[in-house]
Amino acid sequence: MSNARGFTLVELLVAIVLVALASTLVMQGIGQGLGLVGRVTRDQGAAYHELMARGWLRDSIGAAAAVASAEGEFRGVANAVTLLSFRPLLGSEGVASPISWAADAEGRLVYTEREQSVPITALPPLGYIEYQDAAGNWQPSWPPPAKSTTESGAANGVLPRRLRFVFAQDDTLERTLPAAAPSADEEPGDDEGEDLGGDDDSGEGEGPDEM
């Protein structure tokens, strides 16, 4: 006669409870891992889009053309700048095109080129823009006010030495970039200009409907 015996009802219930607890812990770990992967992916995507947007801003303004015509003269205020650029986002590179960067009511930058507007949502809200004159002074607009034009050395058709975009987020993000001053018939060099917080990957090519 065999002396082997099976599980009692209590032992079976304990085994079921232990298996259920182990399965719950495993599923929670898997869920947390997948959530972490999703957050990292989203953060990487947002960082990449911001990097491209900073590259567009840097390149389009760094390739500004110095002209004295009313259509293409460099103009800037605290929340917008208008200029001719050899590196437009939508047009052909090397052809001077009228563009503008302006903040909307919420401070988000909007890029406009030949009546086509592209909201740039990847960048933080804009605080203000400043313009550095030949004397090294920062001006709230360009051309500077009439009383400071003589001191700054600014005149119509002359570009500011630098532009400074101050982005308002948790901490103020301040980026300075030079504005080259070629004529409208001369394309600027590729290596002029200071990075706007990004690297060399400026997302060249046709701009999206929204970024």
Side-chain angles (χ1 to χ4, degrees), residues 30-109:
I30 293 175
Q32 291 177 353
L34 292 176
L36 178 60
V37 171
R39 289 194 297 271
V40 170
T41 301
R42 288 192 297 271
D43 291 344
Q44 287 180 336
Y48 177 71
H49 290 160
E50 181 174 353
L51 179 62
M52 284 199 305
R54 289 181 185 276
W56 296 337
L57 182 59
R58 176 199 63 207
D59 290 345
S60 63
I61 292 179
V67 295
S69 67
E71 177 185 0
E73 183 179 347
F74 189 104
R75 294 274 180 185
V77 293
N79 64 348
V81 58
T82 302
L83 65 147
L84 278 180
S85 175
F86 285 106
R87 288 186 176 177
L89 302 186
L90 306 178
S92 299
E93 182 174 344
V95 178
S97 301
I99 68 169
S100 71
W101 290 91
D104 61 15
E106 298 179 353
R108 297 292 183 181
L109 277 178

Side-chain angles (χ1 to χ4, degrees), residues 64-178:
V67 295
S69 67
E71 177 185 0
E73 183 179 347
F74 189 104
R75 294 274 180 185
V77 293
N79 64 348
V81 58
T82 302
L83 65 147
L84 278 180
S85 175
F86 285 106
R87 288 186 176 177
L89 302 186
L90 306 178
S92 299
E93 182 174 344
V95 178
S97 301
I99 68 169
S100 71
W101 290 91
D104 61 15
E106 298 179 353
R108 297 292 183 181
L109 277 178
V110 177
Y111 173 82
T112 302
E113 178 184 332
R114 300 187 185 279
E115 301 183 353
Q116 299 184 56
S117 296
V118 181
I120 309 297
T121 58
L123 291 174
L126 178 68
Y128 56 89
I129 309 172
E130 290 184 317
Y131 310 84
Q132 189 181 57
D133 58 30
N137 300 317
W138 289 101
Q139 304 290 342
S141 62
W142 197 270
K147 61 181 181 180
S148 62
T149 299
T150 302
E151 298 178 358
S152 66
N156 290 343
V158 177
L159 299 177
R161 289 177 59 185
R162 292 178 180 270
L163 271 70
R164 180 160 62 192
F165 288 77
V166 180
F167 294 102
Q169 211 175 28
D170 296 335
D171 296 321
T172 299
L173 303 175
E174 188 171 317
R175 296 292 182 264
T176 304
L177 59 94

